[in-house]
Amino acid sequence: GIIAGARYSTSTVFYTTPIMLSILLKLPLIPLIADYVWDDESLNAEYCLDNLFFNMDCFKRAIIKGLGIAIILGAFLNKAPILMNVIQKQSTAGLNKSSVYSELLVYTNCAFYGFLEQNPFTAYGENVALLLQNLVITLFIWNFNKTSLQEIVLVVLGYGIVVYGILNFLPNNSLLLQAVFPMNVYAKGSQIWSTFQEKHTGSQSIVTLTLNVVGIAVRILTTIGEVGFEMNWLASYFSSLCLNGTLFAQYWIYKDRTQKYWEEQAKQKKE
């Protein structure tokens, strides 16, 4: 009886799943989502929705797209812990200004490369999210570090020139990602060196550092799945993985000293 029941239950599930998916296909947003997920000429959206669990190509594409969307959504929260630390402590200690400026260029280049190459937004969208958050961090640094008006004008003007140049004078899109490698090394390298000198991580957040390492590792896999072995992307991501891994390690190395630093800062404010 139990075995027979199990057989009946299993066959019922496999029989009703395509029917349930056919019903879902008639819902308002489902066809749009399906067309977005299975936008390849070799994959039919309606067929894949009906055979999601029975066709490996359809299932793999759904997983890759899902991970890409998850990375973008996660990216919008990536620097939130840093922003919360800065607001709570009213300080941008531990955040290297040169590193933040350089990261603006890194995220700008990556975002424009994906856009100009007409890659799927899920392949580069997190760079847009990180760019927006980095702009907010830049504003906080200007506010709490009492940055001179001259420096602010130069940074804004320089950034505007870079964007204008990308949109109007770029001879080859691949130059954007080729420039990312040295900029990323400088950005993360400046932060790594600054942390090494100060012996504390300041307002850096372990949540952000962890999300960076995990997100980049997953992004390597989704990039291979969505655009293939695009070496411009992969070289950029692998270098980022190594650099962010170093920052992650520094957090734990200087964890106790960071705690003592904030305790001393708290005592000075009370005095």
Side-chain angles (χ1 to χ4, degrees):
I2 295 176
I3 296 176
R7 288 177 178 173
Y8 174 77
S9 176
T10 303
S11 63
T12 301
V13 171
F14 277 91
Y15 176 73
T16 57
T17 298
I19 297 176
M20 293 172 63
L21 290 173
S22 296
I23 295 172
L24 285 174
L25 187 60
K26 297 177 182 178
L27 296 176
L29 293 177
I30 298 301
L32 294 175
I33 295 173
D35 287 335
Y36 172 73
V37 173
W38 296 290
D39 58 353
D40 195 294
E41 294 181 358
S42 62
L43 296 174
N44 178 273
E46 185 173 351
Y47 171 81
C48 282
L49 196 60
D50 276 338
N51 297 274
L52 178 60
F53 300 107
F54 308 101
N55 184 290
M56 183 56 66
D57 289 336
C58 293
F59 183 72
K60 184 173 69 173
R61 176 59 61 84
I63 293 296
I64 290 172
K65 286 286 188 180
L67 287 173
I69 293 171
I71 289 174
I72 294 172
L73 293 177
F76 275 104
L77 301 174
N78 181 277
K79 295 184 182 291
I82 294 177
L83 294 171
M84 290 174 63
N85 284 345
V86 170
I87 293 171
Q88 181 183 3
K89 301 179 186 302
Q90 295 291 290
S91 171
T92 55
L95 300 179
N96 183 273
K97 190 186 295 186
S98 297
S99 176
V100 173
Y101 289 164
S102 298
E103 282 191 337
L104 284 176
L105 297 177
V106 169
Y107 298 138
T108 298
N109 277 26
C110 289
F112 270 113
Y113 178 82
F115 174 74
L116 295 174
E117 285 291 303
Q118 298 183 334
N119 290 151
F121 186 72
T122 47
Y124 67 90
E126 77 275 11
N127 290 289
V128 178
L130 292 170
L131 173 60
L132 294 175
Q133 292 169 88
N134 233 54
L135 287 171
V136 176
I137 291 175
T138 300
L139 294 177
F140 275 132
I141 288 177
W142 287 348
N143 179 57
F144 293 119
N145 283 10
K146 297 180 180 179
T147 307
S148 68
L149 179 61
Q150 182 181 6
E151 180 180 339
I152 294 174
V153 171
L154 286 174
V155 171
V156 173
L157 184 62
Y159 185 74
I161 291 173
V162 169
V163 173
Y164 183 80
I166 290 173
L167 293 175
N168 295 279
F169 302 108
L170 188 68
N172 191 326
N173 293 341
S174 64
L175 292 176
L176 288 170
L177 287 192
Q178 290 173 17
V180 162
F181 178 75
M183 286 192 297
N184 199 33
V185 170
Y186 177 77
K188 299 300 183 183
S190 296
Q191 185 62 67
I192 290 169
W193 180 247
S194 177
T195 300
F196 174 75
Q197 287 185 312
E198 295 174 3
K199 306 301 180 186
H200 69 80
T201 56
S203 296
Q204 294 181 59
S205 167
I206 187 57
V207 176
T208 297
L209 294 172
T210 302
L211 285 173
N212 284 341
V213 173
V214 174
I216 293 170
V218 174
R219 173 53 76 203
I220 290 172
L221 298 177
T222 59
T223 298
I224 294 173
E226 291 207 68
V227 298
F229 286 89
E230 169 59 74
M231 294 312 298
N232 286 323
W233 277 122
L234 294 178
S236 173
Y237 287 137
F238 273 115
S239 64
S240 293
L241 183 61
C242 294
L243 293 165
N244 280 286
T246 303
L247 289 169
F248 179 83
Q250 281 186 320
Y251 177 88
W252 296 106
I253 293 171
Y254 299 120
K255 184 180 179 183
D256 292 337
R257 294 192 180 188
T258 301
Q259 186 175 351
K260 289 179 181 178
Y261 170 81
W262 287 120
E263 288 175 354
E264 292 173 0
Q265 292 296 307
K267 287 180 182 179
Q268 290 178 10
K269 286 183 179 181
K270 289 180 180 179
E271 294 174 358

